[in-house]
Structures are given as C-alpha cells and as structure tokens.
Amino acid sequence: NERLLTEGTYWTYGPDPDLHRAIAAYEALVARDSSNQAALNNVSTLYGRVGDRKQGIATLERATRVPRPFGGAFTNLVQAYLSIGDTAGAERTMEAFKRRLPSNTTHWYGDVMVAAVHGRLDSASAIAERAYREARSGAQRDQSSFMAGAVAFTKGKPSEGLRWFSLGNVAALQSG
C-alpha cells in the first residue's frame, strides 16, 4: 500500500507529473483496499483536475461511506457538488457529515460554502469568523480566515477581506 501511495504522490507532484499515472496508482490501491482514505480522497481530487468531476464525486461518495471516514472527504464532496451546481447534493453531504461525524471540528467549512451558495453571506461570514475565534490550531485559523476573507470580498468589502487574509498569513506562519 505504501508503494502505491508513494507512486500516486510522485506522479502528482514529482518532477514530471502525470496525473493519469497517479490516478492509476491510487485506483490500484483502492482495488486492494477499498476503504483507504488517502487513496480515495487523492484520486477523487485528481479526477476533478483532469475534468472527470462525475468520477471524482463517485469516489468521494465511496470515501464518505467507509466504516471510519474522515472529515475532509465530506468537505471535498461538498465542494465537488457545488462545482457542478448541485446544491442539494452539497446539503445532503453536510447532513451526512454531521450525522456520521458529529464531533468533527470542520463542519463549519461546509456550512460556510452552503450558506454562501444560498446568498446568505452574513451567515457565511459569521460561521467563518466563529471558526477562527474557536480554532484549535493555526491551520484552522488559516483556513477559516481565508474563508472569512473570501466572503468579505464577495460582499464587496476588499479591505475586510485583506485583513482576514493577513490574519491567515500570521496563522500559517505560526502553524509551521
């Protein structure tokens, strides 16, 4: 399994990337271990990068149904559904995420996206800002400040957006 993960990573980020070879490596690993979270998540994002969003979504759906899913599979699936305009799919995914992983600390991320897609920008801002205030790590402060900044720009408030991006830069430096 490690060899196939390494191959997938090499073909994704190495000196001569080949996304189709990376996909083949991850798919070979999934064929061996159908609940391998890293392989399922990584191959799904690669499908999106090569323009096969339907396959990416199908793979992420599988990743959310394994016995012990991780939160990133759900938030990536929310993004994937929103990228094809399937708001109902994103909402179903958030419901499943909260039901399957009720104590996960990244529900806020999907909630921001769903609120924003419905035009509830004040709600999206409040969710991202609360996630920033309650963040348990520099990485979460970085991510939540980025989302707060993106919503601020969407609301036509670039100086507020830049302030949030600056806070994210500080958080990223602190998290290493």
Side-chain angles (χ1 to χ4, degrees):
N1 289 1
E2 284 184 35
R3 181 184 63 79
L4 289 170
L5 279 175
T6 301
E7 278 185 38
T9 301
Y10 175 83
W11 290 116
T12 304
Y13 302 107
D16 189 21
D18 183 331
L19 299 184
H20 294 285
R21 287 177 87 170
I23 288 170
Y26 289 128
E27 285 290 4
L29 178 50
V30 170
R32 260 192 218 168
D33 178 2
S34 64
S35 64
N36 187 296
Q37 285 291 311
L40 287 166
N41 186 67
N42 293 353
V43 76
S44 70
T45 62
L46 291 174
Y47 280 125
R49 288 176 62 186
V50 299
D52 192 348
R53 289 190 171 136
K54 285 181 108 174
Q55 185 60 39
I57 287 171
T59 305
L60 283 168
E61 286 283 1
R62 287 172 42 205
T64 64
R65 290 191 300 265
V66 300
R68 294 169 45 123
F70 84 111
F74 290 94
T75 56
N76 286 343
L77 185 55
V78 169
Q79 285 180 306
Y81 275 127
L82 293 177
S83 77
I84 63 168
D86 186 349
T87 304
E91 291 170 334
R92 277 192 315 275
T93 300
M94 282 307 299
E95 291 168 9
F97 184 18
K98 291 174 180 179
R99 187 176 56 255
R100 297 272 328 267
L101 300 173
S103 61
N104 190 282
T105 61
T106 60
H107 292 152
W108 69 269
Y109 187 76
D111 289 338
V112 168
M113 290 187 283
V114 170
V117 78
H118 284 296
R120 298 189 311 261
L121 297 180
D122 289 339
S123 177
S125 290
I127 295 165
E129 291 171 21
R130 183 177 60 248
Y132 179 85
R133 286 190 311 273
E134 297 174 0
R136 297 179 188 170
S137 69
Q140 189 173 350
R141 277 189 298 283
D142 181 26
Q143 190 177 36
S144 57
S145 64
F146 175 81
M147 293 297 277
V151 174
F153 268 95
T154 303
K155 291 168 68 176
K157 298 180 177 181
S159 60
E160 182 181 331
L162 290 171
R163 180 180 67 80
W164 278 109
F165 290 165
S166 178
L167 289 170
N169 290 337
V170 170
L173 288 171
Q174 291 172 344
S175 65

